[in-house]
Amino acid sequence: DVKVTQSSRYLVKRTGEKVFLECVQDMDHENMFWYRQDPGLGLRLIYFSYDVKMKEKGDIPEGYSVSREKKERFSLILESASTNQTSMYLCASSWGTEAYYGYTFGSGTRLTVV
Amino acid sequence: DAKTTQPPSMDCAEGRAANLPCNHSTISGNEYVYWYRQIHSQGPQYIIHGLKNNETNEMASLIITEDRKSSTLILPHATLRDTAVYYCIAVSNAGGTSYGKLTFGQGTILTVHP
């Protein structure tokens, strides 16, 4: 069964900490995405990557960075966590960048910044 | 992408078919109909998609009307684990326009009862 695995289901971090969220996929997909999901705001794209070491900003990149050193792994970095970054973070992968390829999501990481 | 309209909630008895409707009256010829679902506190899960023809996979069937203005997702034998929010979205295959764009509306909360 194909999978997107996010390293943590729940995280609690302190304001100002550097936070790493890890995502690994086993489908040999070239494209990977990071979203956050908040009540009433739906899914918002933070960053995506269409190849190793390649990245593109999504709709809300501020306060975040990403790393894609290997095809199967896409990391989201919160450089200095703030309380407004408390959210559900979702990683996804796909054969293509376009939404019509369909995306496979991980189970999500619920991050709380205190 | 075309706007979609779904009922806010539906109930279904376990073992019975669940039929989830979706209206997309402004859908254009190059837009696919996609269905995802999201079980509480998990990432969205792709279910099925179609353009013109009816589609079936191991999870569900998708019936698209001839004029493509509406569709129905059918879960043939609903189980308690099918309780989730179901999202119907229209996604263009025009290229260069829908990268990472998954605009979920409110969806339909399907509750499967014992």
Side-chain angles (χ1 to χ4, degrees), chain B residues 65-78:
Chain B
T65 58
E66 194 167 342
D67 62 9
R68 302 209 328 120
K69 292 185 177 183
S70 66
S71 60
T72 301
L73 178 74
I74 301 171
L75 307 178
H77 306 286

Side-chain angles (χ1 to χ4, degrees), chain A residues 8-63:
Chain A
S8 305
R9 289 299 308 273
Y10 300 94
L11 275 178
V12 180
K13 296 292 182 180
R14 295 193 179 277
T15 300
E17 275 194 80
K18 190 169 187 175
V19 181
F20 293 85
L21 302 183
E22 305 288 343
C23 176
V24 178
Q25 52 96 1
D26 65 1
M27 295 166 283
D28 204 33
H29 285 167
E30 294 189 350
N31 302 277
M32 298 186 73
F33 307 82
W34 274 106
Y35 297 86
R36 61 179 286 178
Q37 186 177 33
D38 302 285
L41 296 177
L43 282 178
R44 292 183 290 169
L45 181 64
I46 304 172
Y47 268 96
F48 71 99
S49 169
Y50 53 90
D51 202 352
V52 175
K53 296 189 186 296
M54 305 305 290
K55 61 186 179 185
E56 291 285 345
K57 293 180 180 179
D59 298 319
I60 52 163
E62 297 77 19

Side-chain angles (χ1 to χ4, degrees), chain B residues 18 35 37 47-48 55-63 72-76 86:
Chain B
W35 284 84
R37 72 180 182 184
I47 302 173
I48 199 167
E55 302 288 344
T56 296
N57 63 21
E58 65 277 6
M59 289 183 67
S61 295
L62 175 61
I63 308 297
T72 301
L73 178 74
I74 301 171
L75 307 178
Y86 287 76

Side-chain angles (χ1 to χ4, degrees), chain A residues 9 35 37 59 97-98 100 103, chain B residues 34 38 41 96 98 100-101:
Chain A
R9 289 299 308 273
Y35 297 86
Q37 186 177 33
D59 298 319
T97 53
E98 305 293 337
Y100 63 80
Y103 299 152
Chain B
Y34 267 79
Q38 191 166 20
S41 294
S98 65
K101 300 293 187 185

